[in-house]
Amino acid sequence: MQDLSADAGLRLLRGWHQRKLMEDFAMKSLAHVTLFVLALMPSYAFAQQSTGHKMTDEELIKLSLSAAPQAIAKDATIVAMDHDGKMRTLRKGTGQWTCMPGHADPANPDPMCGDQNAMEWATAWMEHKEPPANKVGFMYMLQGDGGASNTDPYATKEEPGNNWIKTGAHVMIVGSGAKMLDGYPRDAKADPTKPYVMWPGTQYEHLMLPVR
């Protein structure tokens, strides 16, 4: 009986430890996503105002899911930022994928889905910090993007000399482990129809891979 009780206690301890790891993972993921989406907040609000239509949760979920293949999107957590700056989980998923509606502009959609490493990389970019070492993240943007500077990671609009570029449907390989990009174009004026390195020469350089 003593051995059985000890074994039962060990199983309970293991179960508690596993639940704690999952809770910590969920909280950390939400923190990374919150910081990342904060960067989109001004454009998000503008998009909602300019279209004259506040997207419903169902519409936001549908837009978010369009960023990735169905096999990825079906189990992803969906998050969005309210106009008051608060993060909301629209749908709780399983696994490490998180999707968001981007700027939430149906006329110029740029939703995205990223794994945990991608969210950590995005958080480092947001905070002007060095990305986590020895990690590679993956992001889907199958609706394309709304345009970005290929040389200035913090540019918010097209200006002379900032090499603004708009990429169609693509995936991204990000993170410090993505510094294995020899052989890919590193031109400031990149051709978005072919694979290229974005933000070359910065600690946030990453590989853009068009898929259509």
Side-chain angles (χ1 to χ4, degrees), residues 14-28:
R14 286 174 176 169
W16 175 86
H17 182 63
Q18 290 175 345
R19 288 194 299 272
K20 185 67 167 61
L21 287 176
M22 289 300 294
E23 289 172 0
D24 290 346
F25 177 82
M27 290 299 294
K28 185 181 293 184

Side-chain angles (χ1 to χ4, degrees), residues 126-198:
M126 279 283 301
E127 297 181 336
H128 295 238
K129 294 181 178 179
E130 184 177 356
N134 303 316
K135 288 189 176 182
V136 175
F138 197 87
M139 281 187 174
Y140 285 100
M141 292 191 72
L142 298 186
Q143 294 291 333
D145 60 41
S149 167
N150 192 40
T151 47
D152 180 0
Y154 300 103
T156 58
K157 61 181 179 179
E158 182 174 6
E159 294 179 354
N162 74 351
N163 301 297
W164 196 261
I165 185 171
K166 185 172 182 177
T167 306
H170 64 278
V171 297
M172 293 177 283
I173 300 176
V174 304
S176 61
K179 298 275 186 180
M180 49 9 171
L181 305 177
D182 291 344
Y184 289 99
R186 307 175 66 86
D187 302 325
K189 298 183 181 299
D191 179 355
T193 66
K194 301 176 181 178
Y196 69 94
V197 176
M198 189 170 191

Side-chain angles (χ1 to χ4, degrees), residues 35-50:
L35 285 171
F36 185 47
V37 180
L38 278 171
L40 305 177
M41 187 60 187
S43 297
Y44 175 93
F46 175 78
Q48 298 268 316
Q49 293 168 2
S50 63

Side-chain angles (χ1 to χ4, degrees), residues 65-116:
L65 294 178
S66 70
Q70 197 271 338
I72 295 294
K74 68 183 181 67
D75 296 322
T77 293
I78 311 298
V79 298
M81 186 77 76
D82 281 337
H83 291 286
D84 58 4
K86 293 181 180 180
M87 178 66 68
R88 286 193 303 127
T89 298
L90 303 182
R91 190 189 79 180
K92 186 174 177 58
T94 59
Q96 64 170 326
W97 291 93
T98 301
C99 299
M100 59 205 80
H103 295 127
D105 182 359
N108 191 25
D110 59 352
M112 63 198 77
C113 291
D115 61 19
Q116 173 67 17

